[in-house]
Amino acid sequence: MARTAGTSVPTVSKVLRGGTDVSAETRAKVMEAVRAVGYTRRAGAKSESVRDESGLSPVIDLVVTHFEGSWANLLIAGAGREAAAAGVDVVLTLAEPHSDWVSRVLRRRSTGVVGALVDPASPEFGALFAAGVPLVLIDPMSTPPSGVASVGVANWEGGRMAAEHLLSLGHARMGVVAGHARHLFSRARVDGFRAAADTTDVGDTTVSVAHGGWNRAKAAAATHTLLDGDPDITGIFACADSMALGVYDALAARGLRIPQDISVIGFDDLPEAQYITPGLTTVRQPSTELGAAAVKLLLELSGGENAGARSPARMELATELVLRASTGPAPASPR
């Protein structure tokens, strides 16, 4: 790694310990070298974490890309409760682009890291892998490296359930407002939806997809794109409840009623799904349980002398359909 980065071995070691006496330019070169070489600290290597009598340090890091929104709050609540039950505290770390958050994490030498909605292909996470920091990812944006544990939900199955519900109501022309095209969990939800539509007995079924980027305003724009392309769409699946709000905005702007003209189904079952009018039919993912499960798995992987030799796990929690008033039978005639 030192040769690839054009620096010394001690400098590489400083970066992987979170040392502050390294320039930002050198730190970036080392992180890029970590990714290029694919180095990961060998399993079973002795941790430098400060540990108490139970074998665990009193702190874990919860690294997230944002704190805002109901989903993040539910996740943090679940992680905090599980950690508190184990006598461990949680430090919230915001993984902002172009910030040196990873050095702060490495300097803390905590029990480990839970990363939520993060990209494991980033140089920052490459540094965590290389430093041998115990790590559990919650629904990572891209495929994590071999040997990294993750916790997620049944995204593909959730998408399938959403499509089957709309199909059971007679909807044949359907639209999907997806998140980012490169995010694994968004693609899984869309793929599950398409799979149900492709295998149904309902004739002339079509699925149009537009990307809303997990954002209410962008989701509204994506909804307009869908309906401009196919005005006969009668059912829309939003891959997140936050985007479903944007779908509601766009339909209201076009003078379309929910569900009389167009049925809408979301994904998450956030508190907002119950409060909007009409109440949002959605696919529930257990957000609080996700945070708790990730912390529990991290503590299991971090504890004990043979923890490094254990096989990393992929844990997947079930999704379920929650019926409310935003879905109904497909209209008998085109609008």
Side-chain angles (χ1 to χ4, degrees), residues 138-212:
I138 296 177
D139 258 343
M141 293 177 178
S142 59
T143 303
S146 175
V148 176
S150 66
V151 176
V153 300
N155 291 298
W156 190 95
E157 178 66 12
R160 182 196 64 78
M161 284 192 290
E164 289 192 345
H165 175 61
L166 291 177
L167 290 165
S168 72
L169 295 170
H171 298 276
R173 302 186 77 86
M174 299 179 290
V176 177
V177 176
H180 290 295
R182 67 183 182 87
H183 290 174
L184 287 178
F185 41 91
S186 179
R187 284 160 41 195
R189 294 170 195 180
V190 175
D191 289 347
F193 193 93
R194 284 190 185 278
D198 289 344
T199 57
T200 185
D201 293 331
V202 177
D204 300 323
T205 300
T206 63
V207 176
S208 303
V209 178
H211 292 90

Side-chain angles (χ1 to χ4, degrees), residues 93-118:
T93 300
L94 185 61
E96 291 184 302
H98 313 301
S99 69
D100 193 20
W101 62 265
V102 69
S103 292
R104 299 196 305 274
V105 170
L106 290 169
R107 286 196 297 273
R108 275 194 286 273
R109 299 183 182 181
S110 56
T111 296
V113 171
V114 171
L117 297 184
V118 295

